[in-house]
Each structure stands twice: as structure tokens, then as C-alpha cells.
Amino acid sequence: WTDLVLDEPSSGLSPENRQRYIAMLRWAIRAGGLGRILMVTHYDEQVQAADGVVTITRDGAHCDWRDSA
């Protein structure tokens, strides 16, 4: 497995291409090519699609883990 750390990887993409990008990452995970992905994003649709979310603020960190989609 390969793990990825991505910092705002889809910031220059259109909303449609952001959806395609996330679909491609999910496909790569299901195909066994990717392990974990740590992605920094400000897009709500990417946060909603995530299996786990860590929110970091001045007051600390909050973790929310869900079952895989």
C-alpha cells in the first residue's frame, strides 16, 4: 500500500473535476493501490466524502471516524 499526504490537491479544479478527483482516489483505494490518504481541504463536499475527519482549531483537535463508503 502507498499512503498519500495531500495539501489542497483540488484547489484549482472545477466542482465537477473535484468530484472526479475524489472518485479516482476512492477507486485507487478499492483497487488496492492506496492505503491511507491525509488530505487538507476547505471544500465541504470532500469533507463529507471522507471516512474520517480531523478538525484542528486553536482550541484543539476533534476526530470523527465513519464506516467506509
Side-chain angles (χ1 to χ4, degrees):
W1 285 8
T2 300
D3 295 334
L4 289 178
V5 177
L6 305 171
D7 185 8
E8 298 283 350
S10 62
S11 62
L13 300 177
S14 68
E16 296 82 18
N17 284 329
R18 284 197 303 264
Q19 290 177 352
R20 288 185 187 116
Y21 183 78
I22 295 300
M24 178 193 66
L25 291 175
R26 286 194 175 279
W27 174 85
I29 291 169
R30 288 187 192 117
L34 287 178
R36 294 168 292 227
I37 300 172
L38 173 63
M39 181 167 49
V40 176
T41 186
H42 292 93
Y43 294 116
D44 288 338
E45 69 269 16
Q46 291 177 348
V47 172
Q48 296 302 318
D51 295 329
V53 176
V54 177
T55 306
I56 301 173
T57 66
R58 291 180 192 191
D59 298 325
H62 172 75
C63 297
D64 178 22
W65 300 106
R66 309 183 255 288
D67 291 331
S68 295

